[in-house]
Amino acid sequence: MAVLLTALAGYLLMHRLQTDSVQSVQQSIDDWRTTLTAMRWTVIAVIAFGWNHLVAWLADAKILSQAKATRLTGLRWRAVTWLVLLELVLGQGVLVNAIGLMVRA
């Protein structure tokens, strides 16, 4: 899902930008930044709230055993936590901003 959304966002950016100049590319990326952030947080929310339904559906379809379904149900918040951390570090640049603040201090 993340790969598909990344590819879609890349295609849309490439198609809309046509790389006239570096400034126009940066302006277009800045224009899309809020939309892309909202899309990433929406995917995280869908995973958080849809995880149990997906695991139950896979168990009902006999794709997963009951033991694996139980284990996966227990891992939901761990997966969501990792996705939120990745979003904060990579998407929002929290780590880069923190290092920048330490260097300035």
Side-chain angles (χ1 to χ4, degrees):
M1 180 72 132
V3 172
L4 180 64
L5 289 174
T6 302
L8 178 65
Y11 173 76
L12 289 173
L13 287 172
M14 185 175 68
H15 181 67
R16 290 217 10 151
L17 298 178
Q18 299 301 320
T19 60
D20 292 330
S21 70
V22 173
Q23 288 80 17
S24 67
V25 170
Q26 184 63 41
Q27 178 63 33
S28 295
I29 289 173
D30 289 341
D31 293 342
W32 278 89
R33 181 166 286 156
T34 304
T35 303
L36 295 174
T37 299
M39 287 172 50
R40 289 190 304 264
W41 282 109
T42 302
V43 168
I44 292 171
V46 166
I47 289 171
F49 296 117
W51 184 281
N52 286 343
H53 299 291
L54 177 64
V55 170
W57 178 77
L58 291 172
D60 290 342
K62 304 293 185 209
I63 296 172
L64 289 176
S65 68
Q66 192 60 33
K68 287 182 182 179
T70 303
R71 173 132 170 83
L72 281 176
T73 301
L75 293 176
R76 172 175 66 164
W77 293 114
R78 182 179 291 182
V80 171
T81 301
W82 277 108
L83 289 172
V84 168
L85 287 174
L86 282 172
E87 169 60 22
L88 291 174
V89 171
L90 299 177
Q92 304 299 319
V94 171
L95 185 61
V96 173
N97 292 338
I99 292 172
L101 287 173
M102 288 190 299
V103 168
R104 283 186 227 142

